Amino acid sequence: MSNGISLTQSSLGLKEALHSAIEHDRESRSLYNSLHRSIKLLMGLKTTVNEDNKNLSKRIKNIQFVLQTWSKKNFGDCHEKIKALEFRLLNLHSGDVNNTNLKEEEDIEREIFGQWLRQELIWHQRSKETL
């Protein structure tokens, strides 16, 4: 009889162990499925975030282009304006000296000075952006 009790106890222990293993397997599968769903969800979000970033990047580039165009249209290229003004001043100096030329020379020099101030302001603003 002791063998029978022992076998019964052993079978109960084996059944419990088997039941426990099955339950553990179910929990593992459930955890795996949950994790798998979360990864799919995150990958979907990652794709959406990447697409949003691409759209945002395109919008920023478009805005940058529009602002550059507006800036050149309204303010022009300071460097090019300075070169053109200096060329006019050089031509003025090669001509005769009279009151009209002196007045025009002062106007050109004032405009060159204003363009240099504007260029310096642009450089100062850009230096703040990179800091």
Side-chain angles (χ1 to χ4, degrees), residues 47-59:
T47 303
T48 305
V49 169
N50 283 341
E51 289 173 4
D52 288 346
N53 285 344
K54 287 178 185 176
N55 290 338
L56 180 62
S57 177
K58 285 180 184 178
R59 290 192 319 208

Side-chain angles (χ1 to χ4, degrees), residues 122-131:
I122 290 169
W123 290 336
H124 181 71
Q125 288 172 344
R126 286 185 180 169
S127 72
K128 285 182 179 180
E129 290 173 3
T130 58
L131 294 177

Side-chain angles (χ1 to χ4, degrees), residues 67-123:
L67 287 174
Q68 285 174 342
T69 305
W70 172 82
S71 176
K72 285 189 178 185
K73 179 182 173 189
N74 289 303
F75 301 110
D77 187 9
C78 292
H79 186 68
E80 291 298 320
K81 281 186 177 181
I82 290 170
K83 283 180 15 180
L85 289 168
E86 287 176 343
F87 182 75
R88 280 181 52 202
L89 190 60
L90 186 64
N91 285 338
L92 194 62
H93 285 171
S94 65
D96 293 333
V97 176
N98 59 34
N99 286 340
T100 307
N101 287 351
L102 289 175
K103 174 70 173 129
E104 190 175 347
E105 182 180 344
E106 285 177 17
D107 292 343
I108 292 172
E109 286 175 347
R110 190 176 306 114
E111 202 171 334
I112 289 172
F113 181 74
Q115 289 298 318
W116 275 114
L117 285 177
R118 179 176 281 164
Q119 186 67 43
E120 189 174 328
L121 179 64
I122 290 169
W123 290 336

Side-chain angles (χ1 to χ4, degrees), residues 30-57:
S30 176
L31 182 62
Y32 170 79
N33 289 335
S34 174
L35 183 61
H36 188 67
R37 282 191 301 273
S38 297
I39 289 172
K40 279 185 173 181
L41 178 65
L42 287 174
M43 289 182 75
L45 289 176
K46 185 176 179 184
T47 303
T48 305
V49 169
N50 283 341
E51 289 173 4
D52 288 346
N53 285 344
K54 287 178 185 176
N55 290 338
L56 180 62
S57 177

